[in-house]
Amino acid sequence: MRKQFRDTVIDLASADDSIVMILGDVSVYLFKKFQDQHPERFHNMGICENTLVSVGAGMSAQGFNPFVHTITPFVTERSYEQIKLDMCYNQFGGNIVSCGASFDYAWDGATHHCHTDLAILRLLPDMEVIQPGSDRELDSLIRSQYANGKPTYFRLSDYPHDIKLDAEFGKAVVLKDVGSQITVMTAGPILGNVMQAIADLDVNLVYFHTIKPIDSDVINRFKGSKILVVHDAFGLHEALCSVTGLSLSLHGLPDEFLSWYGKLDNIRGKIGLDANSIRAYIQNNS
Amino acid sequence: MNQDCKLIRQDILTVSHKSGQGHIPTCFSVVELLYGIYNIIRHKPDDPQWQDRDIFILSKGHASLAHYCVLAKYGYFPIDRVTSFGAFMSDFGCHADRLKIPGIEASTGSLGHGIGLAVGMALAFQTKKSDRRVFTIIGDGESNEGSVWEAVMVGVNLQLRNLTIFYDDNQSHARGLQINNAAGKFRAFGCEVSEIDGHDLLAIEDACRKQTDKVHVVIAKTIKGGGCSTTANNQYEWHRKSPTAEELQQLMRELDEETI
């Protein structure tokens, strides 16, 4: 997904002088072509995430559209107040683009995990929160949102799903509507596991790439059914809970640090977010 | 004391008395700095969004009342509007909101944020090859925040010669984490450093005019509460206090007599 991020931004920057890259010593080689083409608009600013965000906000105040990019927990959890005040409160918008979603860096342990980013950022007024599940979704959503002057968060993953979907900002995608009394709702790359899990099950499936604003119209369409939320992060469940009158339950994360190392699939398997476990959860709750 | 700066201090006291709000000592330490900076930077009070203006950001945002009173003195708005300071639905909060007050370039208050925004704006002007400049005041207490030093490092690394940082050395830091030899620290970080009396208007204006090839840091020695001996000598008591009618009279008298 990072390569798609690079390709999309390089394409946009060829026609848009307002784009600036602010990197936290991450993806530096990946963006070499951007650096070669626009050296004055490329900054590997160093490992100082608070200041990356503040500087991005300051550049936004003077007409630029910054992409601030580094590893998820450091640019979101560590820099939450900079996003809250320098971007949101001051209305100096900009794009925060993270890499290393949830447990992408399982082997690095809990210091490099991040599962709260979507949940905490959606609480900030005027913030747009996007969890693209594929390169195609990412490309489309960056193009539609990057220059709208708002603070926008794009959460990249190294493990996208391979389902070809059109993405329109703020619109959920109904992937399966069989009139079932059970509706599975999910978001982001874990859609791949969920699709596998429900392949032959008689349930509805709704997919979200935009966590904020959440598509309440589509949610209300399935209000009469029992909603099973499957997600490998916090944020979607809380967003769904903003719609009143739903009957929903969450199959998500335990209240502990998942510091078992290994790979993403190992972590997902241990906490029941592999396809078989998701299937069992849905069957047990149907 | 410069006559306008005395009038600004009178405004600060009057508004603080009427509103029941205010950080008087921290406001008094930056009156000359604010007044001097606005005397030099390019700005138009009748056109606050003028596209060629220089930028000033009060990073130590709790001195907002001084900032309001200086902006009023320069004609951004009548001082009468400021008397609603801190009141429900007032435009003039105890920390400024840039969306409500003409002349305020950034909403500050949480310490260690304004300077990062200033670095970003200076980088924006450098990228555009604009000659617009950015000025900010940071507090010495504020400089306990790591984000201040991050921002300085980034500004130096980017060679932002259009950025001037005034360091209000009013000894606030002495209460807690000590910042000894601030000038040496900023020099070690790669800044051009000037040291001035922060109540000397000519020195402040000279420091504003000075441009070097580096980020310019001006260590401004100030007296917290300077202008009245009561506020200068009782900083803890007056840190966040509004004067009663009797205290207001006493403070006005001290101000007039220039007791400090």
Side-chain angles (χ1 to χ4, degrees):
Chain A
M1 211 181 272
R2 266 200 272 184
K3 287 180 180 168
Q4 183 63 58
F5 169 43
R6 172 199 62 191
D7 293 345
T8 303
V9 169
I10 286 176
D11 183 48
L12 289 168
S14 65
D16 184 348
D17 290 344
S18 75
I19 291 176
V20 290
M21 288 303 304
I22 299 175
L23 304 182
D25 206 25
V26 164
S27 304
V28 177
Y29 185 73
L30 187 73
F31 275 89
K32 187 168 185 318
K33 184 177 174 187
F34 184 103
Q35 182 179 14
D36 291 343
Q37 291 177 340
H38 313 289
E40 75 289 354
R41 292 191 276 136
F42 173 88
H43 301 285
N44 177 17
M45 213 157 271
I47 306 164
C48 51
E49 295 81 8
N50 293 173
T51 300
L52 304 184
V53 176
S54 296
V55 169
M59 295 199 81
S60 168
Q62 300 304 331
F64 286 95
N65 285 304
F67 283 88
V68 177
H69 173 56
T70 190
I71 298 173
T72 310
F74 314 136
V75 76
T76 61
E77 291 167 331
R78 177 179 295 170
S79 302
Y80 188 64
E81 198 191 34
Q82 277 74 21
I83 298 172
K84 170 191 164 192
L85 297 180
D86 302 351
M87 286 193 162
C88 295
Y89 181 49
N90 268 290
Q91 296 187 11
F92 298 146
N95 304 289
I96 309 285
V97 184
S98 70
C99 58
S102 290
F103 319 105
D104 278 8
Y105 301 151
W107 53 82
D108 283 325
T111 58
H112 284 58
H113 296 175
C114 191
H115 43 267
T116 68
D117 51 335
L118 300 167
I120 60 175
L121 291 175
R122 68 170 286 277
L123 300 175
L124 298 177
D126 226 24
M127 187 93 204
E128 299 177 339
V129 180
I130 296 172
Q131 187 190 16
S134 70
D135 291 358
R136 182 185 172 92
E137 294 167 28
L138 176 67
D139 178 66
S140 170
L141 292 164
I142 286 179
R143 288 178 191 278
S144 68
Q145 302 309 118
Y146 85 95
N148 66 5
K150 292 192 172 185
T152 303
Y153 177 54
F154 298 92
R155 184 198 219 228
L156 308 192
S157 170
D158 291 343
Y159 300 92
H161 65 66
D162 59 4
I163 299 140
K164 189 175 172 184
L165 299 173
D166 290 330
E168 184 182 350
F169 175 73
K171 301 290 185 190
V173 184
V174 179
L175 287 168
K176 194 172 168 187
D177 184 357
V178 293
S180 170
Q181 284 306 297
I182 301 293
T183 301
V184 177
M185 294 192 175
T186 191
I190 202 153
L191 175 65
N193 284 12
V194 175
M195 287 286 274
Q196 249 185 291
I198 66 147
D200 59 347
L201 298 182
D202 188 26
V203 297
N204 312 315
L205 176 61
V206 178
Y207 170 70
F208 296 84
H209 44 68
T210 306
I211 303 296
K212 186 182 180 184
I214 198 74
D215 187 347
S216 53
D217 289 344
V218 165
I219 298 166
N220 276 316
R221 200 172 124 193
F222 293 91
K223 201 172 193 170
S225 63
K226 182 179 179 184
I227 296 170
L228 304 180
V229 185
V230 179
H231 201 203
D232 59 349
F234 296 105
L236 174 63
H237 180 248
E238 292 83 349
L240 295 172
C241 286
S242 67
V243 178
T244 57
L246 301 183
S247 165
L248 49 75
S249 58
L250 170 65
H251 182 56
L253 304 176
D255 183 24
E256 61 180 309
F257 290 106
L258 311 183
S259 52
W260 306 306
Y261 303 114
K263 295 185 176 177
L264 176 66
D265 283 345
N266 299 133
I267 302 284
R268 283 181 174 173
K270 189 162 171 63
I271 61 175
L273 285 172
D274 58 300
N276 286 338
S277 300
I278 294 170
R279 180 184 175 85
Y281 163 74
I282 294 169
Q283 286 178 316
N284 290 339
N285 286 277
S286 296
Chain B
M1 190 184 300
N2 171 277
Q3 192 59 26
D4 276 350
C5 291
K6 184 178 285 188
L7 293 172
I8 290 164
R9 283 189 171 85
Q10 288 175 356
D11 287 340
I12 290 169
L13 290 173
T14 303
V15 171
S16 180
H17 167 66
K18 287 183 178 172
S19 66
Q21 302 281 0
H23 287 91
I24 293 170
T26 199
C27 285
F28 276 13
S29 71
V30 293
V31 168
E32 281 80 10
L33 289 174
L34 289 163
Y35 185 77
I37 289 168
Y38 277 99
N39 208 28
I40 298 300
I41 68 173
R42 292 167 292 187
H43 68 122
K44 292 183 177 177
D46 58 351
D47 183 10
Q49 293 301 309
W50 177 45
Q51 62 177 6
D52 294 326
R53 72 192 186 282
D54 293 328
I55 298 288
F56 170 75
I57 294 174
L58 183 66
S59 195
K60 48 168 280 183
H62 52 299
S64 64
L65 180 53
H67 199 181
Y68 297 150
C69 292
V70 168
L71 288 173
K73 184 62 65 186
Y74 276 94
Y76 278 83
F77 39 76
I79 188 66
D80 291 350
R81 285 189 61 197
V82 187
T83 52
S84 63
F85 183 61
F88 180 57
M89 299 302 284
S90 169
D91 288 339
F92 294 83
C94 296
H95 297 97
D97 183 338
R98 78 170 192 92
L99 303 175
K100 294 178 179 172
I101 310 294
I104 299 291
E105 301 282 1
S107 306
T108 57
S110 180
L111 297 174
H113 284 253
I115 186 171
L117 289 168
V119 168
M121 293 190 197
L123 177 57
F125 298 147
Q126 177 181 276
T127 306
K128 291 178 177 176
K129 297 183 170 48
S130 163
D131 67 351
R132 293 173 67 186
R133 297 175 64 195
V134 179
F135 298 78
T136 185
I137 297 177
I138 60 174
D140 57 354
E142 177 182 16
S143 299
N144 284 177
E145 297 281 4
S147 57
V148 167
W149 300 96
E150 267 191 20
V152 170
M153 279 194 290
V154 168
V156 167
N157 203 43
L158 292 166
Q159 298 176 295
L160 297 177
R161 59 192 302 276
N162 57 355
L163 175 63
T164 300
I165 301 166
F166 283 87
Y167 175 89
D168 178 22
D169 190 5
N170 67 7
Q171 296 298 301
S172 281
H173 69 94
R175 290 196 302 270
L177 178 58
Q178 307 286 316
I179 302 180
N180 297 316
N181 188 18
K185 285 184 168 62
F186 283 109
R187 281 194 189 96
F189 271 63
C191 302
E192 174 78 20
V193 177
S194 305
E195 297 183 70
I196 64 167
D197 173 351
H199 298 297
D200 180 343
L201 269 178
L202 290 177
I204 293 164
E205 292 173 1
D206 282 347
C208 288
R209 291 189 192 96
K210 180 174 177 178
Q211 276 192 278
T212 74
D213 290 335
K214 299 175 180 176
V215 171
H216 185 201
V217 172
V218 184
I219 307 291
K221 293 274 183 200
T222 61
I223 299 169
K224 190 167 184 178
C228 299
S229 51
T230 294
T231 50
N233 296 331
N234 301 280
Q235 293 169 12
Y236 290 146
E237 179 190 348
W238 280 90
H239 175 70
R240 186 167 194 168
K241 178 179 169 178
S242 166
T244 62
E246 193 177 326
E247 288 167 335
L248 179 67
Q249 278 190 347
Q250 169 70 18
L251 292 171
M252 288 293 195
R253 205 160 40 240
E254 290 178 17
L255 195 53
D256 196 45
E257 293 168 359
E258 300 191 19
T259 53
I260 191 165

